[in-house]
Amino acid sequence: MPRGRPASGFARAGALALAACLAACSVGPDYATPPFDMPARWSGQQGMKKEPAPPQLAHWWERMRDPTLNALIATAVEGNLDVAGAKANIRAARATYRQQVGALFPQVDFSASATRGQNGSRVGSGGDITVGGLYTDYQSGFDASWELDLFGANRRGVEAAGYAAQSAEDELRATLLTLVGDVASNYVAARGYQARIALAQRTAASQRETAALTRTKLEAGAVSAVDLSNATGLAASTEANIPELRAQLAQSIHRLSVLTGQPPSALADRLNRSGPIPSPRASPAKGVPADVLRNRPDVRQAERTLAQSTALIGQAEAARYPAVSLTGNINTDGTKIGDLVRGSAISWSYGPTLSVPVFTGGQLKAAVEVAQAQRDQNFLAYHASILTALEDVENASVALNQERAKAGKLSQATSAYRDATRLSRSLYQNGSTSFLEVLDAERSLYSAEDSLLVSQVAIATNYIALNKALGGGWDGAVDVTTPAVVDENTGPHFSQLQP
């Protein structure tokens, strides 16, 4: 047989394969982002004539003007364990995508063997096997196979894996968004507890002074023992709030430490020093409702998951159609290594393989129906994520506006109660009013001042919630290539038995 014939045969096979791939088709639905009827304006924007300003979400926490908060967020992005897990998911999704792409190409394997044996072909007159029966055989060869993917099963797999990789990237952004919001919220809460502890301590000290004044009056016979008991009880009641506030402060600091990837007490020394409650001045621009489709990573992730499940329908559908593969091999055999390259020692074969599902008991059709039902679930989850995003923005916007109005009234009440307390103390010292009026004024002042601090914390918290609802998270570069565990000595080496 001429030496050139195998090459020409493989060339014809390659041409046929190329023609088949060019004529290949895909089954199942082609994905398109489903439309959603979005409102044109947020509530409260209907009367606006000009287009609302787009949301400014980049580093939104810096507008709270707190360097410590900025540093904590940067530390958390680097060290948070949930973020590290999301990075690992991206690496896994990208590797899966490369696996699926590899299925589109021919698969080629090489094998080689050397055998030394006794064939027993030379037998002496006495029936003994002679040394002449020993032989040596060398073999080598290539085996190749290529699935033509006529109905797009592998291409749908690549498509689904690509969507999954994009979904993993959006999952990381959603994790970062949640992380930034949690760090900011816990930091604001910690500063709020510190301010309330300081207020309670100042108020209790003032109330102790009032109790001391009452004791002096009691000794002079100007008041009764009831007044002294009330004064002492009020101071003790105020001081009783401090342990609970300190416990809540410690919990916030512990949460911040864990969010940054450190032991719970790691930030205690750094954050036990009091600081002001972050106070954002203006409300963030909300843009239009359609912006959440682009800015919310959880919405984008839900949409990519829907796209992935749509591609998997095509993959399941393709399994119901015939499959065609090209297989081939080249083998060589000889009693010497040099014989492996001689033409007379080379054999080859190639040809197509057709596989047609004839009867599967309805399994393949059921697999398509499963994929379709999962697509429907993801379709509904995508719409639900949009509605949730819209609800989050509306709720946070209303809460922020109303809390600011509440804080304004609390500020007025605090100012009025402060004047009332000052006047009642002055009148009490002059004997012009009863102690009950002083007691009531001090109690009302402390309650108003504490409520004002709580409201200031709520304003900052609602500001954070609104930025999160709009899709504001960490928008800087994130290294996803470095694994959390770096293996060493992974090449061939002597294994060590573990006890």
Side-chain angles (χ1 to χ4, degrees), residues 60-66 69 184 188 278-280 460-461 463-464:
W60 58 264
W61 54 91
E62 294 181 354
R63 292 192 285 273
M64 301 179 77
R65 306 182 306 279
D66 194 311
L69 172 60
V188 168
S279 178
T461 302
Y463 177 84
I464 294 167

Side-chain angles (χ1 to χ4, degrees), residues 107-386:
Q107 309 297 307
V108 180
D109 296 318
F110 171 76
S111 62
S113 66
T115 305
R116 178 73 171 171
Q118 171 69 265
N119 59 18
S121 60
R122 297 186 180 183
V123 182
S125 59
D128 297 329
I129 299 175
T130 65
V131 178
L134 293 174
Y135 69 93
T136 301
D137 183 57
Y138 297 95
Q139 294 182 350
S140 66
F142 289 91
D143 293 303
S145 63
W146 187 11
E147 183 179 352
L148 299 185
D149 199 28
L150 294 179
F151 297 98
N154 292 336
R155 290 193 301 279
R156 289 298 193 191
V158 172
E159 183 182 350
Y163 290 138
Q166 295 170 356
S167 176
E169 293 173 0
D170 287 325
E171 180 188 11
L172 171 61
R173 290 298 169 184
T175 302
L176 287 167
L177 181 149
T178 301
L179 173 65
V180 169
D182 287 350
V183 170
S185 296
N186 281 277
Y187 179 78
V188 168
R191 293 309 191 197
Y193 292 133
Q194 288 174 337
R196 294 177 66 191
I197 290 171
L199 171 64
Q201 290 172 335
R202 291 194 308 270
T203 302
S206 176
Q207 290 169 348
R208 289 295 181 187
E209 292 177 359
T210 302
L213 174 62
T214 305
R215 182 180 298 276
T216 301
K217 285 181 171 290
L218 176 62
E219 293 173 353
V223 297
S224 68
V226 175
D227 291 342
L228 177 60
S229 297
N230 284 332
T232 304
L234 179 60
S237 177
T238 302
E239 291 171 339
N241 295 323
I242 296 176
E244 180 181 0
L245 293 172
R246 283 177 174 166
Q248 292 171 328
L249 170 61
Q251 292 171 8
S252 296
I253 294 176
H254 295 163
R255 183 92 284 266
L256 284 170
S257 299
V258 173
L259 287 173
T260 57
Q262 304 176 75
S265 59
L267 297 175
D269 292 339
R270 180 179 179 182
L271 294 181
N272 275 332
R273 296 187 296 272
S274 298
I277 301 173
S279 178
R281 293 180 179 176
S283 298
K286 295 186 295 183
V288 295
D291 290 332
V292 300
L293 300 179
R294 297 184 295 271
N295 297 330
R296 285 275 293 242
D298 57 331
V299 174
R300 296 198 308 266
Q301 181 185 3
E303 188 270 334
R304 292 291 86 181
T305 302
L306 171 61
Q308 177 190 8
S309 61
T310 303
L312 292 177
I313 295 176
Q315 191 176 47
E317 186 70 39
R320 305 177 65 189
Y321 289 79
V324 177
S325 299
L326 288 179
T327 60
N329 64 76
I330 300 177
N331 294 305
T332 179
D333 183 90
T335 59
K336 299 178 181 179
I337 294 180
D339 293 339
L340 297 179
V341 296
R342 295 176 55 191
S344 59
I346 298 175
S347 62
W348 56 268
S349 66
Y350 73 92
T353 299
L354 175 65
S355 175
V356 180
V358 177
F359 178 75
T360 62
Q363 295 181 68
L364 298 180
K365 184 175 184 298
V368 174
E369 293 174 352
V370 169
Q372 290 172 336
Q374 292 173 341
R375 185 270 316 275
D376 290 350
Q377 292 174 345
N378 291 322
F379 172 79
L380 298 173
Y382 170 54
H383 276 208
S385 71
I386 295 175

Side-chain angles (χ1 to χ4, degrees), residues 96-113:
T96 301
Y97 175 76
R98 293 194 298 272
Q99 282 183 319
Q100 292 293 331
V101 171
L104 298 176
F105 295 91
Q107 309 297 307
V108 180
D109 296 318
F110 171 76
S111 62
S113 66

